[in-house]
Amino acid sequence: MSEQKNADRLKGLTLLNANEKRYPNAPEEARLETFENIHQDNDYVITFDCPEYTSLCPVTGQPDFGHIIIRYVPDKRCVESKSLKLYLFSFRNTNTFHEESVNRIMKDFIAACSPRKIEVVGLFRPRGGIAINVKATHGGKIDE
Protein backbone atom coordinates (compact mmCIF):
# COMPACT_ATOMS: atom_id res chain seq x y z
CA MET A 1 0.00 0.00 0.00
CA SER A 2 1.38 3.43 -0.94
CA GLU A 3 2.24 5.86 1.83
CA GLN A 4 -0.36 8.36 0.57
CA LYS A 5 -3.13 5.76 0.45
CA ASN A 6 -2.22 4.60 3.96
CA ALA A 7 -2.20 8.22 5.22
CA ASP A 8 -5.64 8.81 3.65
CA ARG A 9 -7.01 5.66 5.27
CA LEU A 10 -5.84 6.77 8.72
CA LYS A 11 -7.01 10.36 8.40
CA GLY A 12 -9.30 11.27 11.25
CA LEU A 13 -7.55 9.18 13.90
CA THR A 14 -6.72 11.89 16.40
CA LEU A 15 -6.47 9.95 19.66
CA LEU A 16 -4.10 7.11 18.77
CA ASN A 17 -0.90 9.14 18.45
CA ALA A 18 -1.92 11.75 20.99
CA ASN A 19 -0.79 11.46 24.57
CA GLU A 20 -4.43 11.73 25.60
CA LYS A 21 -4.95 11.96 29.33
CA ARG A 22 -8.33 13.69 29.46
CA TYR A 23 -11.00 11.09 29.92
CA PRO A 24 -14.49 12.04 28.74
CA ASN A 25 -16.99 12.45 31.59
CA ALA A 26 -19.89 10.85 29.69
CA PRO A 27 -20.46 8.78 26.54
CA GLU A 28 -21.88 11.91 24.86
CA GLU A 29 -18.45 13.54 25.20
CA ALA A 30 -16.53 10.52 23.88
CA ARG A 31 -15.79 9.79 20.23
CA LEU A 32 -15.41 6.38 18.63
CA GLU A 33 -12.84 6.86 15.89
CA THR A 34 -12.70 4.56 12.87
CA PHE A 35 -10.37 3.65 10.05
CA GLU A 36 -10.92 2.08 6.65
CA ASN A 37 -11.24 -1.71 6.56
CA ILE A 38 -8.89 -2.77 3.77
CA HIS A 39 -10.26 -6.34 3.89
CA GLN A 40 -13.90 -5.53 3.12
CA ASP A 41 -14.09 -8.58 0.87
CA ASN A 42 -13.61 -10.89 3.89
CA ASP A 43 -15.94 -11.69 6.75
CA TYR A 44 -13.85 -11.77 9.93
CA VAL A 45 -14.56 -11.23 13.60
CA ILE A 46 -12.92 -8.56 15.75
CA THR A 47 -13.23 -8.98 19.51
CA PHE A 48 -12.66 -6.25 22.10
CA ASP A 49 -12.44 -7.44 25.71
CA CYS A 50 -12.81 -4.91 28.54
CA PRO A 51 -12.71 -6.72 31.91
CA GLU A 52 -12.60 -3.48 33.95
CA TYR A 53 -15.83 -1.73 32.94
CA THR A 54 -17.52 0.47 35.56
CA SER A 55 -20.63 2.60 35.67
CA LEU A 56 -22.86 4.00 38.41
CA CYS A 57 -26.16 2.63 39.67
CA PRO A 58 -28.87 5.11 38.62
CA VAL A 59 -30.68 4.67 41.95
CA THR A 60 -27.93 4.51 44.59
CA GLY A 61 -25.03 6.13 42.71
CA GLN A 62 -22.78 3.27 43.84
CA PRO A 63 -20.28 1.83 41.35
CA ASP A 64 -21.18 -1.23 39.30
CA PHE A 65 -18.38 -3.42 37.95
CA GLY A 66 -18.54 -5.51 34.83
CA HIS A 67 -16.83 -7.12 31.89
CA ILE A 68 -17.78 -5.89 28.40
CA ILE A 69 -17.07 -8.01 25.32
CA ILE A 70 -17.69 -6.56 21.86
CA ARG A 71 -17.55 -8.89 18.85
CA TYR A 72 -18.24 -7.59 15.37
CA VAL A 73 -17.85 -8.30 11.68
CA PRO A 74 -16.68 -5.04 10.12
CA ASP A 75 -17.92 -3.65 6.85
CA LYS A 76 -16.24 -0.51 5.46
CA ARG A 77 -14.85 0.84 8.79
CA CYS A 78 -13.18 -0.57 11.91
CA VAL A 79 -13.21 1.01 15.37
CA GLU A 80 -9.83 2.12 16.70
CA SER A 81 -9.13 0.57 20.11
CA LYS A 82 -7.82 3.61 22.02
CA SER A 83 -10.93 5.61 21.18
CA LEU A 84 -13.01 2.62 22.36
CA LYS A 85 -11.06 2.53 25.64
CA LEU A 86 -11.74 6.23 26.26
CA TYR A 87 -15.40 5.76 25.31
CA LEU A 88 -15.85 2.85 27.72
CA PHE A 89 -14.04 4.75 30.49
CA SER A 90 -16.63 7.53 30.10
CA PHE A 91 -19.26 5.26 31.65
CA ARG A 92 -17.44 5.48 35.01
CA ASN A 93 -19.33 8.72 35.72
CA THR A 94 -22.61 7.64 34.12
CA ASN A 95 -25.75 6.59 36.00
CA THR A 96 -27.15 3.69 33.98
CA PHE A 97 -28.75 0.28 34.30
CA HIS A 98 -26.74 -2.65 32.92
CA GLU A 99 -29.29 -3.31 30.19
CA GLU A 100 -29.15 0.33 29.09
CA SER A 101 -25.36 0.51 28.97
CA VAL A 102 -24.97 -2.64 26.86
CA ASN A 103 -27.58 -1.45 24.35
CA ARG A 104 -26.09 2.07 24.31
CA ILE A 105 -22.62 0.68 23.58
CA MET A 106 -24.00 -1.40 20.70
CA LYS A 107 -25.97 1.50 19.19
CA ASP A 108 -23.03 3.92 19.45
CA PHE A 109 -20.77 1.29 17.86
CA ILE A 110 -23.25 0.83 14.99
CA ALA A 111 -23.44 4.61 14.49
CA ALA A 112 -19.64 4.82 14.33
CA CYS A 113 -18.80 2.00 11.90
CA SER A 114 -21.98 0.25 10.59
CA PRO A 115 -20.71 -3.30 11.14
CA ARG A 116 -22.23 -6.21 9.24
CA LYS A 117 -22.91 -7.94 12.56
CA ILE A 118 -22.28 -7.06 16.19
CA GLU A 119 -22.85 -8.45 19.64
CA VAL A 120 -22.12 -6.70 22.93
CA VAL A 121 -22.06 -8.78 26.09
CA GLY A 122 -22.00 -7.33 29.59
CA LEU A 123 -21.12 -9.65 32.47
CA PHE A 124 -21.79 -7.67 35.64
CA ARG A 125 -20.56 -8.47 39.15
CA PRO A 126 -23.19 -9.44 41.72
CA ARG A 127 -24.90 -6.75 43.76
CA GLY A 128 -27.36 -7.87 46.37
CA GLY A 129 -26.49 -11.48 45.56
CA ILE A 130 -27.54 -11.35 41.88
CA ALA A 131 -25.25 -11.09 38.86
CA ILE A 132 -26.72 -9.67 35.67
CA ASN A 133 -25.55 -10.69 32.21
CA VAL A 134 -26.82 -8.83 29.14
CA LYS A 135 -26.29 -9.59 25.44
CA ALA A 136 -27.39 -7.24 22.65
CA THR A 137 -27.07 -8.22 18.98
CA HIS A 138 -27.60 -6.68 15.57
CA GLY A 139 -27.31 -8.14 12.07
CA GLY A 140 -27.55 -11.79 12.99
CA LYS A 141 -25.57 -14.37 14.92
CA ILE A 142 -21.78 -14.31 14.80
CA ASP A 143 -20.45 -17.84 14.23
CA GLU A 144 -16.94 -18.96 15.01
Side-chain angles (χ1 to χ4, degrees):
M1 177 179 302
S2 74
E3 281 187 44
Q4 182 59 47
K5 186 168 182 167
N6 194 46
D8 289 345
R9 170 174 98 84
L10 303 177
K11 203 181 313 180
L13 294 179
T14 62
L15 299 172
L16 184 58
N17 287 330
N19 191 9
E20 186 61 50
K21 294 188 175 157
R22 293 170 293 134
Y23 293 111
N25 286 319
E28 296 80 20
E29 296 177 19
R31 185 177 67 248
L32 288 171
E33 293 186 343
T34 64
F35 59 92
E36 179 187 1
N37 175 14
I38 61 172
H39 298 289
Q40 296 174 34
D41 54 332
N42 296 334
D43 280 340
Y44 61 98
V45 178
I46 298 172
T47 301
F48 290 117
D49 192 329
C50 179
E52 299 176 346
Y53 174 86
T54 59
S55 61
L56 300 174
C57 174
V59 177
T60 66
Q62 294 179 344
D64 287 321
F65 301 94
H67 185 159
I68 300 292
I69 302 163
I70 301 167
R71 298 174 67 232
Y72 74 105
V73 177
D75 192 20
K76 293 181 169 70
R77 312 282 308 163
C78 297
V79 168
E80 190 278 315
S81 62
K82 184 175 181 182
S83 73
L84 177 62
K85 175 183 82 168
L86 295 172
Y87 168 79
L88 291 174
F89 280 3
S90 74
F91 281 86
R92 290 181 176 183
N93 302 314
T94 301
N95 294 308
T96 183
F97 288 111
H98 302 325
E99 298 84 353
E100 293 170 346
S101 63
V102 167
N103 279 281
R104 167 84 189 261
I105 292 166
M106 184 183 71
K107 288 179 180 181
D108 288 349
F109 210 94
I110 291 168
C113 72
S114 301
R116 294 176 189 162
K117 298 177 183 180
I118 184 171
E119 68 180 30
V120 178
V121 176
L123 308 171
F124 297 94
R125 305 292 184 268
R127 291 202 64 217
I130 298 175
I132 297 175
N133 298 326
V134 180
K135 180 179 181 180
T137 63
H138 176 78
K141 184 177 178 185
I142 296 177
D143 294 323
E144 280 199 45

